[in-house]
Amino acid sequence: MRSVTKGQVEISFSSDISYLELVQDVSDHIARLVGLDAESQYWIGLSLRESVTNAIQHGNQLDPTKLVVLRFDIQEDRLVITVRDQGEGVDEDQLPDPLDPENLLKPGGRGIFFVRSFMDKVSFRKSAEGHEVIMEKRLNHKNQGDENDD
Amino acid sequence: MRSVTKGQVEISFSSDISYLELVQDVSDHIARLVGLDAESQYWIGLSLRESVTNAIQHGNQLDPTKLVVLRFDIQEDRLVITVRDQGEGVDEDQLPDPLDPENLLKPGGRGIFFVRSFMDKVSFRKSAEGHEVIMEKRLNHKNQGDENDD
Amino acid sequence: MTIETRTANGVTILDIHGKITIGEGSAEIRNRVRDLLQADRKNILLNLGDVSYVDSSGIGELVSSYTTVTNQGGQLKLLNLTKKLRELLAITKLLTVFDTFDDEQEAIESFR
Amino acid sequence: MTIETRTANGVTILDIHGKITIGEGSAEIRNRVRDLLQADRKNILLNLGDVSYVDSSGIGELVSSYTTVTNQGGQLKLLNLTKKLRELLAITKLLTVFDTFDDEQEAIESFR
Ligand SMILES: Nc1ncnc2c1ncn2[C@@H]1O[C@H](COP(=O)(O)OP(=O)(O)O)[C@@H](O)[C@H]1O
Ligand SMILES: Nc1ncnc2c1ncn2[C@@H]1O[C@H](COP(=O)(O)OP(=O)(O)O)[C@@H](O)[C@H]1O
């Protein structure tokens, strides 16, 4: 059941890994408010967790005085999630492919790959306020279940 | 167990009652991060819910284009929570006392009373950005339990 | 919130489940009570044992249901308060207004 | 995350509970594995049936444990993948790297 069809939620926090579970709680909650089923909630939560981990680690380099800003734009037909950090951003074209045989056994480099696998559209943007990852999930009958939103 | 001793989390959302449960989730989560026990978590969550309900209803008069901003300031010895709306604010001295016999059977007027009962310090402030309720909870051995923070 | 209705010895018992809060259609209790009064069922017992959360709106809802019933010469009493609800009613001095019970049989008999 | 250790037929089984994520000290598995290798216990089975969550760091943790063990001439295999973890290993092509099992007995015998 969908209880919000339009709206905006923004949350910002210090660059501290301790807030990752909070991010996931908020993500799950909003995914539920827009009527997404449990499966979609899960993969959106994971994508968000990866992007926020990157923002804290790579973007803000664990500097606790720097903030991560998370924005949920709830629209009729899509949920747009933006993660902003105060870093220099990432060069999309330079990202190594984690499926390349020479990268297969590397310990890292799968975060953005997960985000791209589970969201419908992913883009990166440099702005005056910092670096942003913009992730979109389309809302449609396929991913909207009949679950209780408690 | 306390996992955050210093930090800031800010969350803003459209004036829609649908976000109350989200507010409560976030509140519970942060109260847990600062090591508050389940009992304190509960009453802080209720206080916050009351203040946010007021911000949505009385402050922003349910106008969905107006935002409510919630800020959690995590300090060593206290948690300070601020709820800001875009309204005219409330005149503290004019608030009817819900315990007055003539008010006892009124349906409303107990929200701020609850906030004052459960938080250690409550104040109201008018600023350029809007009206704020500032609520403080002291952190000490009495209200910090040994609970798992999952 | 969901409400189930049953009757015992001329007393209508409303078993209330879930949250009595502003988001959860708290007017439902008041509406249900009004329907009962129209059907001339004036002895009403609210069983709150399965209520998971109450905010100040919910307290207001209980109070308006109480005054509506009392004004029509009926009686509204409360059964199975949770610890937290009892605390809210205590600090608002409403424990002195409501008749409250922890035993259903005792509550039902009190209406005689 | 918590890890319990047991042994069966020369295979060390690590029962892993909870989350394998960046926040949850995901280096714990790697450290435990290193200790085992130092004690010359080179047949290692990770039982992941009670793992509630894995992120990309957690996947990285499994991979580095795997390469560490393999480089020292040992074997590291996975038991009881959850549906979600299996999906993550599938899309990262790591299912082709890891030996995985749903039956503990079968997994233990595979080390012979
Ligand atoms: N927000 C960010 N700011 C700066 N660099 C980033 C950001 N996110 C990702 N990167 C860069 O892209 C690389 C790949 O990221 P990712 O796929 O998440 O894997 P990992 O974080 O494990 O390296 C990172 O190693 C980092 O160099
Ligand atoms: N954020 C706010 N902005 C404007 N007025 C407010 C605000 N919060 C409270 N008030 C005023 O104070 C009164 C008392 O609030 P409260 O104790 O929460 O009870 P209730 O909301 O049930 O009336 C409200 O009726 C309203 O007039």
Side-chain angles (χ1 to χ4, degrees):
Chain A
M1 220 185 56
R2 182 165 185 178
S3 52
V4 175
T5 51
K6 199 171 158 34
Q8 208 193 80
V9 175
E10 190 171 294
I11 174 162
S12 64
F13 46 89
S14 333
S15 296
D16 183 334
I17 291 289
S18 305
Y19 295 118
L20 276 179
E21 301 301 319
L22 174 64
V23 165
Q24 196 143 13
D25 274 5
V26 171
S27 170
D28 286 352
H29 197 107
I30 291 177
R32 216 157 54 224
L33 281 180
V34 302
L36 284 162
D37 58 27
E39 187 80 7
S40 305
Q41 277 172 42
Y42 187 90
W43 297 119
I44 291 175
L46 179 65
S47 302
L48 202 47
R49 178 184 258 275
E50 298 292 346
S51 294
V52 169
T53 302
N54 281 343
I56 294 175
Q57 285 201 311
H58 302 305
N60 292 345
Q61 313 207 311
L62 293 161
D63 177 346
T65 66
K66 292 189 173 165
L67 292 179
V68 175
V69 183
L70 203 63
R71 193 172 63 241
F72 297 83
D73 271 304
I74 301 169
Q75 302 175 15
E76 188 69 49
D77 63 338
R78 74 194 65 197
L79 174 63
V80 183
I81 310 177
T82 308
V83 178
R84 191 168 77 222
D85 61 49
Q86 296 176 247
E88 291 309 311
V90 45
D91 183 352
E92 272 190 85
D93 306 322
Q94 298 287 66
L95 288 174
D97 176 4
L99 303 187
D100 194 316
E102 71 176 20
N103 296 326
L104 209 58
L105 291 181
K106 293 235 169 101
R110 295 179 187 86
I112 293 175
F113 174 79
F114 283 169
V115 178
R116 286 185 170 143
S117 305
F118 299 121
M119 301 299 283
D120 293 316
K121 196 173 150 194
V122 182
S123 55
F124 299 83
R125 189 170 65 189
K126 193 78 198 119
S127 79
E129 290 162 301
H131 163 252
E132 292 183 340
V133 186
I134 304 150
M135 301 173 279
E136 273 191 38
K137 189 77 186 173
R138 280 191 297 275
L139 304 174
N140 53 42
H141 294 302
K142 274 224 309 283
N143 57 22
Q144 301 196 287
D146 301 306
E147 291 181 299
N148 295 329
D149 56 349
D150 75 16
Chain B
M1 220 186 56
R2 183 165 187 179
S3 51
V4 176
T5 51
K6 196 168 161 38
Q8 209 193 78
V9 176
E10 191 171 292
I11 175 163
S12 64
F13 46 90
S14 332
S15 297
D16 183 334
I17 290 290
S18 305
Y19 295 119
L20 276 180
E21 302 301 320
L22 174 64
V23 165
Q24 197 143 14
D25 275 4
V26 171
S27 169
D28 286 352
H29 196 107
I30 291 176
R32 217 158 52 224
L33 281 180
V34 301
L36 284 161
D37 59 25
E39 187 81 7
S40 306
Q41 278 172 40
Y42 186 90
W43 298 120
I44 290 175
L46 180 64
S47 302
L48 201 47
R49 178 183 258 275
E50 298 292 346
S51 294
V52 170
T53 302
N54 281 343
I56 293 174
Q57 285 202 310
H58 303 304
N60 292 345
Q61 313 209 312
L62 294 162
D63 177 346
T65 67
K66 292 189 173 163
L67 293 179
V68 175
V69 182
L70 203 63
R71 194 173 59 240
F72 296 83
D73 271 304
I74 301 170
Q75 302 174 16
E76 187 70 48
D77 63 338
R78 75 195 64 197
L79 174 63
V80 183
I81 309 176
T82 308
V83 178
R84 190 168 79 222
D85 62 49
Q86 296 177 246
E88 291 308 312
V90 44
D91 184 351
E92 273 190 86
D93 306 324
Q94 299 286 67
L95 289 174
D97 176 3
L99 303 187
D100 194 316
E102 72 177 20
N103 295 327
L104 210 57
L105 292 180
K106 294 237 167 98
R110 295 179 187 85
I112 293 174
F113 174 78
F114 282 168
V115 178
R116 286 185 169 143
S117 304
F118 299 121
M119 301 300 283
D120 292 316
K121 195 171 150 195
V122 182
S123 57
F124 299 84
R125 188 169 68 187
K126 197 67 202 125
S127 79
E129 290 163 302
H131 163 251
E132 292 183 339
V133 186
I134 303 150
M135 301 174 279
E136 273 191 37
K137 189 77 186 174
R138 278 190 299 275
L139 304 176
N140 53 42
H141 294 301
K142 274 227 307 285
N143 57 22
Q144 301 196 287
D146 300 306
E147 290 182 298
N148 297 329
D149 56 348
D150 78 15
Chain C
M1 189 215 296
T2 61
I3 306 178
E4 283 156 25
T5 308
R6 35 190 189 104
T7 319
N9 287 356
V11 176
T12 304
I13 303 166
L14 301 185
D15 297 304
I16 302 177
H17 308 277
K19 300 178 178 176
I20 317 182
T21 60
I22 195 165
E24 287 282 313
S26 56
E28 274 181 48
I29 299 179
R30 212 184 322 164
N31 295 340
R32 193 69 71 100
V33 161
R34 198 179 304 131
D35 293 348
L36 289 174
L37 291 174
Q38 268 170 6
D40 214 36
R41 289 159 71 175
K42 295 187 169 172
N43 290 335
I44 303 174
L45 180 62
L46 302 185
N47 177 10
L48 303 168
D50 194 37
V51 166
S52 56
Y53 204 89
V54 183
D55 65 3
S56 74
S57 292
I59 301 287
E61 190 57 23
L62 298 179
V63 172
S64 15
S65 300
Y66 173 85
T67 51
T68 310
V69 173
T70 309
N71 288 343
Q72 307 230 359
Q75 286 186 288
L76 180 138
K77 305 186 178 192
L78 307 182
L79 177 64
N80 294 330
L81 302 185
T82 60
K83 195 166 154 285
K84 299 253 160 52
L85 176 53
R86 181 174 294 278
E87 190 156 339
L88 292 180
L89 293 178
I91 62 172
T92 50
K93 293 199 177 159
L94 288 166
L95 273 187
T96 62
V97 169
F98 286 107
D99 242 7
T100 69
F101 298 87
D102 289 324
D103 181 87
E104 183 168 317
Q105 210 42 51
E106 208 182 299
I108 292 168
E109 278 159 20
S110 78
F111 281 92
R112 302 223 175 160
Chain D
M1 188 217 293
T2 61
I3 306 177
E4 283 156 25
T5 308
R6 28 186 198 110
T7 318
N9 286 356
V11 176
T12 305
I13 304 167
L14 301 185
D15 296 304
I16 302 177
H17 308 277
K19 300 177 178 174
I20 316 183
T21 60
I22 193 164
E24 288 282 314
S26 55
E28 274 181 49
I29 298 179
R30 212 183 324 162
N31 295 339
R32 193 69 72 100
V33 161
R34 198 178 305 132
D35 293 348
L36 289 174
L37 291 174
Q38 268 171 8
D40 212 38
R41 290 158 73 177
K42 295 186 170 173
N43 289 337
I44 303 174
L45 180 61
L46 302 186
N47 177 9
L48 303 167
D50 194 37
V51 166
S52 56
Y53 204 90
V54 182
D55 65 3
S56 73
S57 293
I59 300 288
E61 190 57 21
L62 297 180
V63 172
S64 16
S65 300
Y66 173 85
T67 51
T68 309
V69 173
T70 307
N71 288 343
Q72 306 229 0
Q75 285 187 287
L76 181 137
K77 305 187 178 192
L78 308 182
L79 176 64
N80 294 328
L81 302 185
T82 60
K83 194 166 154 286
K84 300 253 161 52
L85 176 53
R86 181 174 294 278
E87 191 156 340
L88 292 180
L89 292 179
I91 63 172
T92 49
K93 295 201 176 157
L94 289 166
L95 272 187
T96 62
V97 170
F98 286 107
D99 240 8
T100 69
F101 298 87
D102 289 324
D103 182 86
E104 183 169 315
Q105 210 43 53
E106 208 182 296
I108 291 169
E109 279 160 19
S110 78
F111 281 91
R112 301 217 175 161

